[in-house]
Amino acid sequence: HVQLVESGGGSVRAGGSLRLSCAASGYTYSASCLAWFRQAPGKEREGVAGIDMFNGRTRYVDSVKGRFNISRDNAKNTVDLQMNSLKPEDTALYYCAADPNCYGSLTFDRRRYKYWGQGTQVTVS
């Protein structure tokens, strides 16, 4: 049974920081890519940051480059998203998602992501 469990969301003032964590279980972790997506009200879900669990390669959407950092802990099967210098436009529901057969093809194509968490709310005021 595949599970992705997010934690760490909350409310923060502009310029502040939050750290999101995603705990994954139930599939072959090492061959996968994990990514954080977000969806704001009235907007499409967009990829924010992703990481290839095999080689550690990362990818970011332009709007968060230099502010967000994604990291992995293979021993714990977790992926964290450190979010700094938060802006009101970062407000959204953030989802952790897994592409279990990524094999080095890290992408923000939502169709590749077979497993999704329930989401955690991030509010920046």
Side-chain angles (χ1 to χ4, degrees):
H1 176 62
V2 176
Q3 277 193 309
L4 297 175
V5 180
E6 303 106 332
S7 60
S11 297
V12 66
R13 292 191 175 185
S17 298
L18 283 173
R19 189 176 183 89
L20 306 183
S21 185
C22 174
S25 62
Y27 68 96
T28 304
Y29 190 67
S30 60
S32 68
C33 289
L34 276 163
W36 288 94
F37 289 76
R38 67 186 179 187
Q39 188 166 19
K43 294 189 176 181
E44 286 194 3
R45 192 173 298 188
E46 66 167 348
V48 175
I51 188 164
D52 186 321
M53 304 308 296
F54 178 71
N55 57 28
R57 187 183 309 169
T58 59
R59 179 173 183 165
Y60 299 90
V61 69
D62 286 346
S63 60
V64 307
K65 286 180 180 177
R67 300 189 298 122
F68 290 12
N69 183 69
I70 189 169
S71 60
R72 76 193 197 278
D73 186 330
N74 284 2
K76 296 180 179 179
N77 285 6
T78 58
V79 169
D80 290 351
L81 183 66
Q82 178 66 41
M83 305 185 296
N84 301 321
S85 302
L86 282 161
K87 304 175 180 180
E89 50 265 43
D90 295 317
T91 295
L93 190 59
Y94 282 70
Y95 297 91
C96 177
D99 173 359
N101 300 306
C102 138
Y103 296 111
S105 298
L106 178 59
T107 175
F108 287 148
D109 183 349
R110 287 174 290 172
R111 295 170 296 180
R112 292 288 303 268
Y113 289 83
K114 185 175 181 180
Y115 306 118
W116 293 81
Q118 294 298 307
T120 184
Q121 179 67 36
V122 171
T123 302
V124 185
S125 59

